[in-house]
Amino acid sequence: MSSFEIIEIQSALGETQTSPSKLFSDDDGRIQKKTGISKIHRSSLSAFELSLKALHKLENIDEVQEKTKFVLYVTQSPSYFLPNHASRIQDELNLKQDTMCFDINQGCSGFVQALIIMSSLLKQKSDLGLIVCADTYSHHLSDDDRSTQVLFSDGATVSVIKGNGKWQIEGVKHLTDGSGANLLVKSIHSTNRLKMDGASVFQWTRRELGSQIKELLNEKKYDIKEVEGFYLHQASKLVLDNVKKSLSIEDSRIPSTLDLTGNLVSSSIPFLIENNFEKFNSSNFLVMSGFGVGLSSSSCILRKE
């Protein structure tokens, strides 16, 4: 199976910080209690501009320029119809011209899917790949839509992936339910706003997510008690609490950054790893799962070789 190592993650959040109570003056704290979100980040920049801010934070840029062979850009907030944003990143970072670059139009399951793809592409131990996730959902929300305004933050992350690393992807499981596509949707016309049927999306995650993770572990004959940590998309407190209940696991095994940023779409898992980098790298057995818009979910087992 594929193996990899994450050698660096950098992030850039929207420059303006707000909160549910600032967005809606009649809120008495119930929104934060229900969602688990105390800080929301908004940006005047495009998602692509945020991604450039994250990219220019990379500490070992010389190695990135010398060894990067693949760039995957994950977004549902495109700045360009064409060419792809990943090609622009190749030029921005002065990467070599033999770099393969492409975009993935995916949301909350996007990082997990990109990581699975990237680990299969990186065959040489010396090669690197960049997974860039960026979204500015706030640019597409209605001002009076509480169900979306209090959940989503703007942000970008860049993850530097090395092939043939210490993490082995031992199993993956995907689910796509296109019949629920309109439960979280925005048409391509710029004047249309993003719409979400939050209750229906939650019921879908409640029905499917815990079952997917259990099935994945059962197929590989692992006991859920063996898993040291569950790195899950930071959707909302309600969703994460339901996963804990479904899997009968304690809080300490589900790290969270939800209170710091809210829902960062495809950037939520890499931001979570960035903020728990030492704990992530010192673990030996993890489960990672992204889920949401699509409707889609992708989960994988990570074990040290």
Side-chain angles (χ1 to χ4, degrees):
M1 294 291 289
S2 304
S3 65
F4 70 94
E5 183 174 352
I6 302 176
I7 63 175
E8 184 180 357
I9 299 178
Q10 295 292 344
S11 60
L13 300 178
E15 68 275 11
T16 301
Q17 183 176 296
T18 185
S19 66
S21 59
K22 290 179 180 177
L23 289 171
F24 298 99
S25 59
D26 61 342
D27 173 50
D28 58 2
R30 283 180 292 180
I31 294 176
Q32 179 179 335
K33 184 176 181 180
K34 182 179 180 180
T35 63
I37 299 169
S38 60
K39 298 175 184 177
I40 300 168
H41 297 264
R42 297 286 187 257
S43 181
S44 60
L45 301 176
S46 69
F48 184 67
E49 289 171 322
L50 279 177
S51 73
L52 296 183
K53 288 183 67 174
L55 284 157
H56 287 297
K57 290 182 180 181
L58 289 173
E59 296 177 354
N60 200 349
I61 189 64
D62 290 341
E63 184 179 12
V64 168
Q65 290 172 330
E66 177 67 25
K67 297 181 179 180
T68 296
K69 296 296 182 182
F70 305 96
V71 178
L72 306 188
Y73 185 87
V74 184
T75 191
Q76 291 189 324
S77 307
S79 298
Y80 305 97
F81 285 108
L82 56 94
N84 62 63
H85 301 75
S87 294
R88 294 176 180 270
I89 288 171
Q90 178 273 330
D91 178 63
E92 179 73 23
L93 288 190
N94 196 28
L95 304 178
K96 292 183 177 180
Q97 291 189 356
D98 64 354
T99 306
M100 179 182 179
C101 302
F102 61 94
D103 291 4
I104 299 175
N105 177 4
Q106 186 55 284
C108 308
S109 56
F111 178 76
V112 178
Q113 295 175 0
L115 183 63
I116 293 168
I117 294 169
M118 183 65 79
S119 64
S120 68
L121 290 172
L122 291 168
K123 301 299 185 183
Q124 302 298 320
K125 192 171 185 178
S126 61
D127 291 346
L128 300 180
L130 302 182
I131 298 177
V132 183
C133 299
D135 272 295
T136 48
Y137 265 27
S138 75
H139 296 189
H140 309 288
L141 305 180
S142 297
D143 292 340
D144 58 351
D145 186 355
R146 292 180 183 238
S147 66
T148 56
Q149 283 284 352
V150 301
L151 283 182
F152 296 110
S153 277
D154 300 332
T157 56
V158 53
S159 304
V160 184
I161 314 296
K162 183 178 181 180
N164 295 289
K166 57 189 176 182
W167 285 111
Q168 183 92 7
I169 299 180
E170 286 204 355
V172 300
K173 206 163 188 67
H174 304 288
L175 187 154
T176 299
D177 181 4
S179 69
N182 287 329
L183 297 180
L184 180 49
V185 65
K186 182 195 178 297
S187 70
I188 204 165
H189 198 284
S190 61
T191 60
N192 289 337
R193 302 287 89 185
L194 183 147
K195 296 179 181 179
M196 182 178 73
D197 183 341
S200 296
V201 174
F202 168 71
Q203 291 301 327
W204 181 80
T205 61
R206 183 179 184 181
R207 183 174 65 250
E208 302 292 351
L209 183 57
S211 297
Q212 183 181 74
I213 293 172
K214 288 177 184 177
E215 289 173 9
L216 178 59
L217 291 169
N218 288 339
E219 285 178 5
K220 298 298 178 179
K221 296 181 170 51
Y222 288 128
D223 192 313
I224 198 167
K225 294 179 181 179
E226 299 178 71
V227 182
E228 297 168 64
F230 295 82
Y231 283 74
L232 309 178
H233 166 56
Q234 304 290 287
S236 73
K237 182 178 183 297
L238 194 62
V239 172
L240 295 181
D241 285 348
N242 181 71
V243 176
K244 295 174 193 176
K245 182 179 179 180
S246 175
L247 300 179
S248 299
I249 54 179
E250 56 274 22
D251 290 355
S252 61
R253 287 201 285 165
I254 304 186
S256 179
T257 51
L258 189 63
D259 62 321
L260 301 176
T261 64
N263 187 330
L264 282 172
V265 198
S266 61
S267 283
S268 78
I269 293 178
F271 186 81
L272 178 66
I273 297 172
E274 180 191 17
N275 282 267
N276 293 273
F277 204 62
E278 184 177 343
K279 184 177 182 180
F280 179 88
N281 284 315
S282 64
S283 302
N284 293 293
F285 185 2
L286 301 172
V287 167
M288 185 183 294
S289 185
F291 48 89
V293 60
L295 297 168
S296 69
S297 62
S298 292
S299 300
C300 62
I301 294 171
L302 306 180
R303 282 178 63 90
K304 291 278 181 68
E305 289 192 283

